[in-house]
Amino acid sequence: MLLSFAAPTPAFADESAPSEKRVVRVASYADGDYMSIDKNGEHTGYEVDYFNEIARYANWTYEYVDYPSWADAQAALEAGEVDVLSFVYRTAEREERMLFSQASLCEIYTTISVRPDDARFAFEDFEAFSGMRVGMVAGGEDAEAYLRYSEENHFETENVLYDTTEDMLEALANGELDAVANTHLGRNSQFRTIAQFSPQPLYVVLPLDRAEIAAELDDAMNRLKLRDPEFPSLLYDRYFGINTDQDPVFTEDEYAYLATAPTLRVVYDSFRAPISSTDPETGAFSGAVASLFEDITRITGLQFEFIPADSTMRPSAMPKTVTPTSSTASTAMPTRSREASWSPPGRTCAIPWRSWWGRIRRATASPSRAASCR
């Protein structure tokens, strides 16, 4: 008897899709890392990359329809001129006027941003925020989030409304504004972030009469999540991740500590090249960790005295008031929690090369050239 077995094979994105692709009209407007048009006239950004991946599961192709602003794009969607508009905050009022995707595209927070050369404001320095002239795009949920944030933290600002994000950011760059309150701008922004708050999911929306397209979208988004759950995270890091080209913004307590900090003594492993070692020619601390400390000094002004330790050194043999570099050591910088108390450290450096460096880079939060109200 001859038996044959057919091993089950996974159904890939386009195996069961019909041959004729649906043309989906996408509302687009200049929005930096979210969506924009490059120098070659091609649409680019998070939205484009995400929809290109969705097309593999939904068997779609796209026609991008450009609008001058978020408000124009939203009006076009509600009028049925386009099929989808992305990066929209979900509200009960909006649910009565448009269909929302079941799953979100990502979660984004609102920020307060200032010019890169404006050193008047520390991170969450609410006392200094009072009296700022702040730009916001009219009609957006991010503007509402800022108003709640300012009320909760007891500071008042002069608020100026704009029709478009581009006009608002131009006013900031020209010195007409002290700051802007807007959805996180993306990793390519030239502006410094001095506050972050109100993280919320953003969705794709459709006209009320596009239920069939909405069902296809939900199915495709679910299949993408099952087949490639890391894809949205990769896109988020590409377009909205930390801008490591900008230096971080510290709190007032942190700036005060940095201005008076003593030289911090740090024990390092001298035998873990290329991560951490002692240069045999100069006797200096070298390796990847040493490079991180050089950058910390450049950014913060902190000075360090490095003490090598070999593989046989026991903790009891280390110099007093010295803490070794460690991924689990606690940072010597003051905490950002307003509820927590902090006492400046002595000459012990409870470092950090992983936890502190990660904190410094996370503090950067400098996010695209424009992000519209949503």
Side-chain angles (χ1 to χ4, degrees):
M1 179 181 293
L2 180 63
L3 299 178
S4 64
F5 296 91
T9 57
F12 291 96
D14 58 356
E15 284 186 359
S16 59
S19 58
E20 185 175 348
K21 294 179 180 292
R22 180 192 293 275
V23 178
V24 175
R25 289 169 59 84
V26 180
S28 180
Y29 53 95
D31 203 7
D33 287 338
Y34 294 83
M35 63 190 85
S36 59
I37 299 176
D38 64 20
K39 61 182 180 181
N40 298 317
E42 299 292 331
H43 289 83
T44 186
Y46 188 112
E47 174 189 61
V48 176
D49 286 359
Y50 188 87
F51 277 146
N52 284 345
E53 193 68 12
I54 285 295
R56 298 179 58 240
Y57 297 88
N59 199 38
W60 287 356
T61 187
Y62 302 105
E63 177 186 344
Y64 285 91
V65 184
D66 297 321
Y67 294 93
S69 69
W70 148 261
D72 292 315
Q74 182 185 21
L77 179 103
E78 294 191 46
E81 298 174 11
V82 293
D83 298 310
V84 296
L85 171 64
S86 59
F87 298 112
V88 180
Y89 288 123
R90 190 171 199 149
T91 67
E93 184 269 335
R94 286 176 175 175
E95 285 181 325
E96 296 179 357
R97 298 171 13 227
M98 56 190 80
L99 301 175
F100 279 77
S101 59
Q102 292 177 355
S104 64
L105 283 169
C106 59
E107 189 170 88
I108 291 291
Y109 48 89
T110 302
T111 65
I112 303 174
S113 299
V114 300
R115 289 181 297 280
D117 60 349
D118 190 342
R120 291 177 294 168
F121 308 106
F123 192 85
E124 290 195 338
D125 184 2
F126 302 126
E127 183 176 352
F129 291 176
S130 292
M132 286 195 308
R133 183 175 170 85
V134 178
M136 297 180 289
V137 177
E141 288 300 308
D142 43 7
E144 294 297 323
Y146 170 73
L147 294 177
R148 291 191 297 270
Y149 179 75
S150 61
E151 182 177 359
E152 291 167 0
N153 291 287
H154 311 293
F155 66 92
E156 295 183 2
T157 56
E158 178 186 354
N159 302 323
V160 184
L161 297 179
Y162 290 83
D163 292 330
T164 70
T165 304
E166 289 185 330
D167 289 344
M168 179 184 67
L169 294 183
E170 183 178 356
L172 175 61
N174 292 339
E176 299 171 24
L177 298 171
D178 296 312
V180 296
N182 206 20
T183 304
H184 171 64
L185 293 169
R187 73 180 306 158
N188 293 312
S189 174
Q190 63 176 307
F191 301 110
R192 294 192 311 135
T193 297
I194 57 174
Q196 304 168 334
F197 49 93
S198 190
Q200 296 183 59
L202 293 169
Y203 295 85
V204 180
V205 295
L206 305 89
L208 291 174
D209 62 357
R210 304 293 202 279
E212 183 177 348
I213 299 178
E216 292 177 4
L217 173 64
D218 289 334
D219 179 69
M221 293 178 75
N222 288 335
R223 292 170 68 192
L224 172 58
K225 184 177 295 186
L226 291 171
R227 301 286 176 81
D228 193 359
E230 298 302 317
F231 182 75
S233 296
L234 294 174
L235 278 190
Y236 190 97
D237 184 64
R238 180 185 304 168
Y239 291 106
F240 306 140
I242 293 171
N243 183 348
T244 55
D245 292 332
Q246 290 194 15
D247 292 341
V249 180
F250 297 105
T251 67
E252 278 296 308
D253 283 346
E254 289 168 340
Y255 281 124
Y257 169 69
L258 294 174
T260 60
T263 297
L264 304 176
R265 304 176 72 200
V266 181
V267 170
Y268 69 91
D269 290 334
S270 63
F271 53 90
R272 298 188 184 278
I275 303 299
S276 173
S277 64
T278 299
D279 188 304
E281 296 183 0
T282 66
F285 181 27
S286 65
V289 179
S291 296
L292 292 182
F293 275 96
E294 289 176 0
D295 215 6
I296 291 173
T297 295
R298 179 188 63 79
I299 292 170
T300 67
L302 288 172
Q303 299 298 312
F304 302 99
E305 176 188 350
F306 298 106
I307 302 170
D310 61 33
S311 59
T312 63
M313 179 177 283
R314 297 173 179 266
S316 60
M318 292 182 183
K320 293 183 178 180
T321 74
V322 176
T323 300
T325 58
S326 168
S327 61
T328 59
S330 62
T331 177
M333 291 290 286
T335 177
R336 289 219 164 161
S337 170
R338 292 189 298 279
E339 290 75 24
S341 61
W342 170 73
S343 298
R347 291 184 178 273
T348 298
C349 178
I351 264 246
W353 70 265
R354 288 181 187 165
S355 60
W356 194 359
W357 184 252
R359 175 179 179 165
I360 285 178
R361 283 313 186 196
R362 285 194 300 274
T364 309
S366 296
S368 131
R369 293 176 297 273
S372 191
C373 86
R374 304 177 194 288

